[in-house]
Amino acid sequence: MAARKPAAKPAPPKCPACAGQGWVSETHHVGRGKKARPVGEVEVLCPTCLGTGTAAE
């Protein structure tokens, strides 16, 4: 009789904040206080999963 192969582990769930990419967009502001104006978007590490792309268990 042949030996059985172990079952594969299911893939970990994706992070809901970054959809599994590990990166999110943040608006970059220039100026201080209420006069700060948005000038563009910057790609930063996802604060929820810290760039891994997997949801916390």
Side-chain angles (χ1 to χ4, degrees):
M1 189 183 242
R4 291 186 175 209
K5 293 182 183 179
K9 292 184 178 180
K14 292 183 179 180
C15 174
C18 65
Q21 294 178 348
W23 297 94
V24 293
S25 296
E26 276 190 2
T27 305
H28 184 70
H29 291 85
V30 172
R32 285 191 256 169
K34 293 182 181 181
K35 292 185 177 183
R37 63 182 191 278
V39 293
E41 289 190 351
V42 182
E43 293 287 321
V44 295
L45 280 177
C46 177
T48 306
C49 66
L50 300 175
T52 61
T54 58
E57 293 180 25

